[in-house]
Structure formats: structure tokens, C-alpha cells
Amino acid sequence: MVRTQVAIVGAGPAGLLLGQLLHKEGIDTLLLERRSADYVAGRIRAGVLEPGTVSVLEKAGVAARLHAEGLVHGGVEIGFRGHRHRIDLQALTGRSVTVYGQTEVTRDLMDARAASGAPSVYEAEDVTLLEVTGPAPTVRYRHEGKVHEVACDFIAGCDGFHGVSRRTIPSASLSVYERVYPFGWLGVLADIPPPWEELIYANSDQGFALASMRSTTRVRCYVQCPLEDHIDQWSDERFWTEFRRRLGGEVAARVPDAPSIEKSIAPLRSFVAEPLKYGRLFLAGDAAHIVPPTGAKGLNLAASDVFYLSEALRDFYRASGAGQSGGEAERALDGYSVRALRRIWRAERFSWWMTRQLHQFPGDAFDGKLQHTELEYLFDSRAAQVSMAENYVGLPL
Ligand SMILES: Cc1cc2nc3c(=O)[nH]c(=O)nc-3n(C[C@H](O)[C@H](O)[C@H](O)COP(=O)(O)OP(=O)(O)OC[C@H]3O[C@@H](n4cnc5c(N)ncnc54)[C@H](O)[C@@H]3O)c2cc1C
């Protein structure tokens, strides 16, 4: 049996970033990931970073390439009824967001972990969490046909929505809040220079579309689609025709039929399981919560969770190292869930609000009228724009 201070389950952004933040504090970790390193490094997901996330990545020592290659955006646009309205994030809040793909964040974190020498096990099968409510939890897993056990002080469950960590907690000890939306997002990645300067969120009669980007040579575009659709029904030509129709105006005319290099359909869901601490097991990132991607919050919440968790673990080890009573050291850990959930619920509210205002919902004319009224109010009112902008750039950590 090997020993570590914190066993981290999952090498998504939450697990990798937590490992790096704890390494900076001199805390040992072992990272266990179900997939191969190549699979993790190649996964295409989010791409908009709040300034708070950038500062956490700086603290973790992994922001050099992000600063060199990330695109700083001082605004976003909302398309509605043939017009585009710019929300000037920089003027309204003094802050901007940075466009830098989750794939790049992951690569920077994997490189930093390899350079630090901290151990990682990829393709770890049947990860099982044992004795999580006792003083000495254990993680068992299978790798290359052999069973291994890790003794640790704590387990960080960073293994996403479908992971084992949340399922280890008895349902009586978790409260779950959930909303499933009646549509999905069909996403396409393509290698063309973006024909737009900033992200455009379009609410059209045909449904929502998002014109986004990952770099100066790569776009990421989405259209709202029925949940039961399959990507085989969406040729590249059909996707771009629909995307242009929803985006509208002169910008749509500049969008070519680019070949897709990735195409997928994701369901939209709001989900929170709380509290985030069960004995010596902590949940962080998508293991504990999901937001619909409309507010660009999923990756950012994973970063704020693990920032708070790294501070709680740092304070625990400092207090226990300084010979303070067990109770005092444990208290450092108890605050994590409360602190993280406060920010999680604010991001849940904002992501729900963005989703509500920008998509076509089936069948309710009253809700449709309210949606139009809400958007018109946003375009007319500086106060409403400040509210949207401060949530979009992210509330303070
Ligand atoms: C298809 C898709 C598209 C998205 N697009 C956007 C977007 O455009 N904008 C946005 O803001 N957010 C988006 N998100 C959300 C964002 O990517 C996530 O919020 C973010 O990845 C959360 O990071 P995480 O580390 O908590 O979880 P994850 O990234 O899910 O990482 C969890 C890790 O745990 C591993 N794991 C799972 N089970 C086990 C196990 N039993 N044992 C060991 N390891 C395990 C997984 O393989 C994975 O590597 C998207 C998510 C998805 C799924």
C-alpha cells in the first residue's frame, strides 16, 4: 500500500488544478484517472475563463502560455430580432474574460504535474473509496491487471458528473437539486479564423446559436437542437446553414461551410448536490454540480471550488503542523462546503437566467413574452447590463 496526503480522483481541470495548488503548498497528492492521458489531453470542452480563474491559474504557476496565447475579450454580443447588442464587460465592470480552450488549460496542467514529479495513474480502473468517514480513508483501484491501495488523509472527488465519488456518499446524506432542459446544444469545432470579434449569443425564432472561438484560427459554434437528435442527422452543410440563419445579418454572410473537426450534442442540465464534504471525502467541480454552458461557468466553477479546497487543506495541515487541537484543524475543513456553495449557487442562478433568456422553450406564450421583455430591459437599462456583466466576468473569489 502506498501513502499520500490527498488522493485526487479524476484528472479533469478540477483534479489537475487542485494537484498543482496543493503541490505549491508542499502537500503530497496522488492522482487517479480512469481514462488514458492522451484521451484527457484531447477532450474538447469549455473555453471562456473568468479573471478569477486566470488568477488561480497564475497562483498554480501555469499561466504563461495562457497570457501569451489567450484572447482577451472586453465584451460579448447578444443577437435578438435582427439586431446585435454589445454588453461592454470592460466598461461596465472594469474586467474582461479570456478565451483559452479547456484543452489548453488541461495540457498546461498536465505538463506542470509531470514537471513537478507528482505521481499520476492514468487508466486506473474500478476506483473504490473506502472508510471515507473514518480517520484513515483508502482508495483501491486496478491498474494493468493488479489491485493497488492508497492510504491517505483525504480524498478529493474531482471525477465529474458520472464519477464514483458522489455515488460513494449515501443518498440520505446528500441533498440534490436538479433541472433538466428540454433541448441540447449541437457543437461544431472548425479550423477557420473567427468571422466575429467577440462571442455572439443569438436568440432567434429558430432557436439559440452561439458564435464562439478557441483561438485566432479555430471557431466553436453551437445551435440549440432537439434532445433526441443524433449527430448523423447534422451534416456540416446543414449545421452551417442553420447557424447562419440563426446568427443573421452581415456576420452570417461571412461564415463559410467549414469542415468540422469535432461535432457533438450535449444535453443541458442544472444540478447541485450538497454538502460538498462527507467525512474525509470532498466533492469539487462537475462531481458536485452542473450548469448549462450558456453562462460559460462550468470550468470556472471547477477552478473556484478547488481554490477554496486547496486553502482549506492548507489551513488544516498548517494548524495540525503547529500542534493545534484536532478540533481547530478540522474546523479549517468545514468551511469549504459553505464557501464554495455560495459561489456555486450564484453561478447556477446566472446560468439558468442566461439559458432562460436565450433559448426557444416549447409551448408557453406567456414565458415567451417575459423573455422578450427581459431582453429589451437588458438592452435599455445600464443597471441590468451591469448585473449581467458582473456575473459573466465572474463574482469575486
Ligand atoms: C461535452 C461538454 C462540453 C462542455 N462545454 C462547455 C462550454 O462550452 N463552456 C463551459 O463553461 N463548460 C463546458 N462544459 C463544462 C466544463 O467542461 C466542465 O464544467 C469541466 O470540465 C469540469 O471539470 P471537472 O474537472 O470538474 O470535471 P471533468 O472535466 O468531467 O473531469 C472529471 C475527470 O474524472 C475522470 N473520472 C470519471 N470517473 C472516474 C472514476 N470512476 N475514476 C477515475 N477517474 C474518473 C474523467 O475521466 C475526467 O477526466 C462542457 C462539458 C461537457 C461534458
Coordinates of all heavy atoms in Angstrom, one line a residue, residues 336-378:
Y336 N -15.2 24.7 3.8 CA -15.1 24.6 2.4 C -16.4 24.5 1.7 O -16.7 25.3 0.7 CB -14.2 23.4 2.0 CG -14.5 22.9 0.6 CD1 -14.1 23.7 -0.5 CD2 -15.1 21.7 0.3 CE1 -14.3 23.3 -1.8 CE2 -15.3 21.3 -1.0 CZ -14.9 22.1 -2.1 OH -15.1 21.7 -3.4
S337 N -17.3 23.7 2.2 CA -18.6 23.4 1.5 C -19.4 24.7 1.5 O -20.0 25.1 0.4 CB -19.3 22.3 2.2 OG -20.5 22.0 1.6
V338 N -19.5 25.4 2.6 CA -20.3 26.6 2.7 C -19.8 27.7 1.8 O -20.5 28.3 1.0 CB -20.3 27.1 4.2 CG1 -21.0 28.5 4.3 CG2 -20.9 26.1 5.1
R339 N -18.5 27.8 1.8 CA -17.8 28.9 0.9 C -18.0 28.6 -0.5 O -18.4 29.5 -1.3 CB -16.3 28.9 1.3 CG -15.6 30.1 0.9 CD -14.2 30.1 1.3 NE -13.4 31.2 0.8 CZ -12.1 31.2 0.6 NH1 -11.4 30.1 0.9 NH2 -11.5 32.2 0.1
A340 N -17.8 27.3 -0.9 CA -17.9 27.0 -2.4 C -19.4 27.1 -2.8 O -19.7 27.6 -3.9 CB -17.3 25.6 -2.6
L341 N -20.3 26.6 -2.0 CA -21.7 26.5 -2.4 C -22.3 27.9 -2.6 O -23.2 28.1 -3.5 CB -22.5 25.8 -1.4 CG -22.5 24.2 -1.5 CD1 -23.0 23.6 -0.3 CD2 -23.2 23.7 -2.8
R342 N -21.8 28.9 -1.9 CA -22.3 30.3 -2.1 C -22.0 30.7 -3.5 O -22.9 31.3 -4.2 CB -21.6 31.1 -1.1 CG -22.1 32.5 -0.9 CD -21.3 33.2 0.2 NE -21.2 34.6 0.0 CZ -22.2 35.4 0.3 NH1 -23.3 35.0 0.8 NH2 -22.1 36.7 0.1
R343 N -20.8 30.5 -4.0 CA -20.5 30.9 -5.3 C -21.2 30.0 -6.4 O -21.6 30.4 -7.4 CB -19.0 30.8 -5.5 CG -18.4 31.6 -6.6 CD -16.9 31.8 -6.5 NE -16.5 32.8 -7.4 CZ -16.3 32.6 -8.7 NH1 -16.5 31.5 -9.2 NH2 -16.0 33.6 -9.5
I344 N -21.3 28.7 -6.1 CA -21.9 27.7 -7.0 C -23.3 28.1 -7.3 O -23.8 28.2 -8.4 CB -21.9 26.3 -6.4 CG1 -20.4 25.7 -6.4 CG2 -22.8 25.3 -7.1 CD1 -20.2 24.5 -5.5
W345 N -24.1 28.5 -6.2 CA -25.5 28.8 -6.4 C -25.6 30.1 -7.2 O -26.6 30.3 -8.0 CB -26.3 28.9 -5.1 CG -26.7 27.5 -4.7 CD1 -26.3 26.7 -3.7 CD2 -27.8 26.7 -5.4 NE1 -27.0 25.5 -3.8 CE2 -27.9 25.5 -4.8 CE3 -28.6 27.0 -6.5 CZ2 -28.8 24.5 -5.2 CZ3 -29.5 26.0 -7.0 CH2 -29.6 24.8 -6.3
R346 N -24.7 31.0 -7.0 CA -24.8 32.3 -7.8 C -24.5 32.0 -9.3 O -25.2 32.5 -10.2 CB -23.8 33.3 -7.3 CG -24.2 33.8 -5.9 CD -23.3 34.8 -5.3 NE -23.8 35.3 -4.1 CZ -23.5 36.5 -3.5 NH1 -22.5 37.2 -4.1 NH2 -24.0 36.9 -2.4
A347 N -23.6 31.1 -9.6 CA -23.3 30.7 -11.0 C -24.5 29.9 -11.5 O -24.8 30.0 -12.7 CB -22.0 29.9 -11.0
E348 N -25.1 29.1 -10.7 CA -26.3 28.3 -11.1 C -27.4 29.3 -11.5 O -28.1 29.1 -12.5 CB -26.8 27.4 -10.0 CG -25.9 26.2 -9.7 CD -26.0 25.1 -10.7 OE1 -27.0 25.1 -11.6 OE2 -25.2 24.2 -10.7
R349 N -27.6 30.3 -10.7 CA -28.7 31.3 -11.0 C -28.4 32.0 -12.3 O -29.3 32.1 -13.2 CB -28.8 32.3 -9.8 CG -29.9 33.3 -10.0 CD -29.7 34.7 -9.3 NE -28.7 35.5 -9.9 CZ -28.8 36.3 -11.0 NH1 -30.0 36.3 -11.6 NH2 -27.8 37.0 -11.4
F350 N -27.2 32.4 -12.5 CA -26.8 33.2 -13.7 C -26.9 32.3 -14.9 O -27.5 32.7 -16.0 CB -25.4 33.8 -13.6 CG -25.0 34.5 -14.8 CD1 -25.7 35.7 -15.2 CD2 -24.0 34.0 -15.6 CE1 -25.3 36.4 -16.3 CE2 -23.6 34.7 -16.8 CZ -24.2 35.9 -17.1
S351 N -26.5 31.0 -14.8 CA -26.5 30.1 -16.0 C -28.0 29.8 -16.3 O -28.3 29.7 -17.5 CB -25.7 28.8 -15.7 OG -24.4 29.1 -15.3
W352 N -28.8 29.6 -15.3 CA -30.2 29.4 -15.6 C -30.8 30.6 -16.2 O -31.6 30.5 -17.2 CB -30.9 29.1 -14.2 CG -32.4 29.2 -14.2 CD1 -33.3 28.2 -14.6 CD2 -33.2 30.4 -13.9 NE1 -34.6 28.7 -14.6 CE2 -34.5 30.0 -14.1 CE3 -32.9 31.6 -13.5 CZ2 -35.6 30.9 -13.9 CZ3 -33.9 32.5 -13.2 CH2 -35.2 32.2 -13.5
W353 N -30.5 31.8 -15.7 CA -31.0 33.0 -16.3 C -30.6 33.2 -17.8 O -31.5 33.5 -18.6 CB -30.6 34.2 -15.5 CG -31.1 35.6 -15.9 CD1 -32.3 36.1 -15.6 CD2 -30.4 36.5 -16.8 NE1 -32.4 37.3 -16.3 CE2 -31.3 37.6 -17.0 CE3 -29.2 36.5 -17.5 CZ2 -30.9 38.6 -17.8 CZ3 -28.8 37.5 -18.3 CH2 -29.7 38.6 -18.5
M354 N -29.4 33.0 -18.1 CA -28.9 33.1 -19.5 C -29.6 32.1 -20.4 O -30.0 32.4 -21.5 CB -27.4 32.8 -19.6 CG -26.5 34.0 -19.1 SD -26.2 35.3 -20.3 CE -25.0 34.5 -21.4
T355 N -29.8 30.9 -19.9 CA -30.4 29.8 -20.6 C -31.9 30.2 -20.9 O -32.4 30.1 -22.0 CB -30.3 28.5 -19.9 OG1 -28.9 28.3 -19.6 CG2 -30.9 27.3 -20.7
R356 N -32.5 30.7 -19.9 CA -33.9 31.1 -19.9 C -34.1 32.2 -21.0 O -35.1 32.2 -21.7 CB -34.3 31.6 -18.5 CG -35.7 31.7 -18.0 CD -36.4 30.4 -18.0 NE -37.5 30.6 -18.9 CZ -38.4 29.6 -19.2 NH1 -38.3 28.4 -18.7 NH2 -39.3 29.8 -20.1
Q357 N -33.2 33.2 -21.0 CA -33.5 34.3 -21.9 C -33.1 34.1 -23.4 O -33.5 34.8 -24.2 CB -32.6 35.6 -21.4 CG -32.8 36.0 -20.0 CD -34.3 35.8 -19.5 OE1 -35.2 36.0 -20.2 NE2 -34.4 35.4 -18.2
L358 N -32.3 33.1 -23.6 CA -31.7 33.0 -25.0 C -32.2 31.8 -25.8 O -31.9 31.7 -27.0 CB -30.2 32.9 -24.9 CG -29.6 34.2 -24.3 CD1 -28.1 34.0 -24.0 CD2 -29.8 35.4 -25.3
H359 N -32.9 30.9 -25.2 CA -33.4 29.7 -26.0 C -34.9 29.8 -26.3 O -35.6 30.5 -25.6 CB -33.1 28.4 -25.2 CG -31.7 28.1 -25.0 ND1 -30.9 28.8 -24.1 CD2 -30.8 27.2 -25.7 CE1 -29.6 28.3 -24.2 NE2 -29.6 27.4 -25.1
Q360 N -35.3 29.0 -27.3 CA -36.7 28.8 -27.5 C -37.2 27.7 -26.6 O -36.7 26.6 -26.7 CB -37.0 28.5 -29.0 CG -36.7 29.6 -29.9 CD -37.6 30.8 -29.7 OE1 -38.7 30.7 -29.4 NE2 -37.0 32.0 -29.8
F361 N -38.2 28.0 -25.7 CA -38.7 26.9 -24.9 C -40.1 26.5 -25.5 O -40.8 27.3 -26.0 CB -39.0 27.4 -23.5 CG -37.7 27.5 -22.7 CD1 -36.8 28.5 -22.9 CD2 -37.4 26.5 -21.7 CE1 -35.6 28.5 -22.1 CE2 -36.3 26.6 -21.0 CZ -35.3 27.6 -21.2
P362 N -40.4 25.2 -25.5 CA -41.6 24.8 -26.1 C -42.9 25.3 -25.4 O -42.9 25.3 -24.2 CB -41.6 23.2 -26.1 CG -40.5 22.9 -25.1 CD -39.6 24.1 -24.9
G363 N -43.8 25.8 -26.2 CA -45.2 25.9 -25.9 C -45.7 26.9 -24.8 O -46.8 26.8 -24.5
D364 N -44.9 27.9 -24.3 CA -45.5 28.8 -23.3 C -45.4 30.2 -23.8 O -44.4 30.9 -23.7 CB -44.9 28.6 -22.0 CG -45.6 29.3 -20.9 OD1 -46.3 30.3 -21.1 OD2 -45.6 28.8 -19.7
A365 N -46.6 30.8 -24.3 CA -46.6 32.1 -24.9 C -46.3 33.2 -23.8 O -45.6 34.2 -24.1 CB -47.9 32.4 -25.6
F366 N -46.7 33.0 -22.6 CA -46.5 33.9 -21.5 C -45.0 34.0 -21.2 O -44.5 35.1 -21.1 CB -47.3 33.5 -20.3 CG -47.2 34.5 -19.1 CD1 -48.1 35.6 -19.1 CD2 -46.3 34.3 -18.1 CE1 -48.0 36.5 -18.1 CE2 -46.2 35.3 -17.1 CZ -47.1 36.3 -17.1
D367 N -44.4 32.9 -21.1 CA -42.9 32.9 -20.8 C -42.2 33.5 -22.0 O -41.2 34.2 -21.8 CB -42.4 31.4 -20.7 CG -42.7 30.9 -19.3 OD1 -43.2 31.7 -18.4 OD2 -42.4 29.7 -19.0
G368 N -42.7 33.3 -23.2 CA -42.0 33.9 -24.4 C -42.1 35.5 -24.3 O -41.1 36.1 -24.6
K369 N -43.2 36.0 -23.9 CA -43.4 37.4 -23.7 C -42.4 38.0 -22.7 O -41.8 39.0 -22.8 CB -44.8 37.8 -23.4 CG -45.8 37.7 -24.5 CD -45.6 38.9 -25.4 CE -46.7 39.0 -26.5 NZ -46.4 40.1 -27.5
L370 N -42.4 37.2 -21.6 CA -41.5 37.6 -20.5 C -40.0 37.6 -20.9 O -39.2 38.5 -20.6 CB -41.6 36.7 -19.3 CG -42.9 36.9 -18.4 CD1 -42.8 35.9 -17.2 CD2 -43.0 38.3 -17.9
Q371 N -39.7 36.6 -21.8 CA -38.3 36.5 -22.3 C -38.0 37.8 -23.1 O -36.9 38.4 -22.9 CB -38.1 35.3 -23.1 CG -36.7 35.0 -23.6 CD -36.7 33.9 -24.6 OE1 -37.2 34.1 -25.7 NE2 -36.1 32.8 -24.3
H372 N -38.9 38.2 -24.0 CA -38.6 39.3 -24.9 C -38.5 40.6 -24.0 O -37.7 41.5 -24.2 CB -39.8 39.5 -25.9 CG -39.7 38.4 -26.9 ND1 -40.6 38.3 -28.0 CD2 -38.9 37.3 -27.0 CE1 -40.3 37.2 -28.7 NE2 -39.3 36.6 -28.1
T373 N -39.4 40.7 -23.0 CA -39.4 41.9 -22.1 C -38.1 42.0 -21.4 O -37.5 43.0 -21.2 CB -40.6 41.8 -21.1 OG1 -41.8 41.6 -21.9 CG2 -40.7 43.1 -20.3
E374 N -37.6 40.8 -20.9 CA -36.4 40.8 -20.1 C -35.2 41.2 -21.0 O -34.4 42.0 -20.5 CB -36.2 39.3 -19.6 CG -35.0 39.1 -18.7 CD -35.3 39.4 -17.2 OE1 -36.5 39.3 -16.9 OE2 -34.4 39.6 -16.5
L375 N -35.2 40.7 -22.3 CA -34.1 41.1 -23.1 C -34.1 42.6 -23.5 O -33.1 43.3 -23.5 CB -34.1 40.3 -24.4 CG -33.6 38.8 -24.2 CD1 -33.7 38.0 -25.5 CD2 -32.1 38.8 -23.8
E376 N -35.3 43.1 -23.7 CA -35.5 44.6 -24.1 C -35.0 45.4 -22.9 O -34.3 46.4 -23.0 CB -36.9 44.9 -24.5 CG -37.1 44.6 -26.0 CD -38.6 44.5 -26.3 OE1 -39.4 44.8 -25.5 OE2 -38.8 44.0 -27.5
Y377 N -35.4 45.0 -21.7 CA -34.9 45.7 -20.5 C -33.4 45.7 -20.4 O -32.8 46.7 -20.1 CB -35.6 45.0 -19.2 CG -35.1 45.6 -17.9 CD1 -35.3 46.9 -17.6 CD2 -34.5 44.7 -17.0 CE1 -34.9 47.4 -16.4 CE2 -34.1 45.3 -15.8 CZ -34.2 46.6 -15.5 OH -33.8 47.1 -14.3
L378 N -32.8 44.5 -20.7 CA -31.3 44.4 -20.6 C -30.7 45.4 -21.6 O -29.8 46.1 -21.2 CB -30.9 42.9 -21.0 CG -29.4 42.7 -21.1 CD1 -28.7 42.8 -19.8 CD2 -29.2 41.3 -21.7

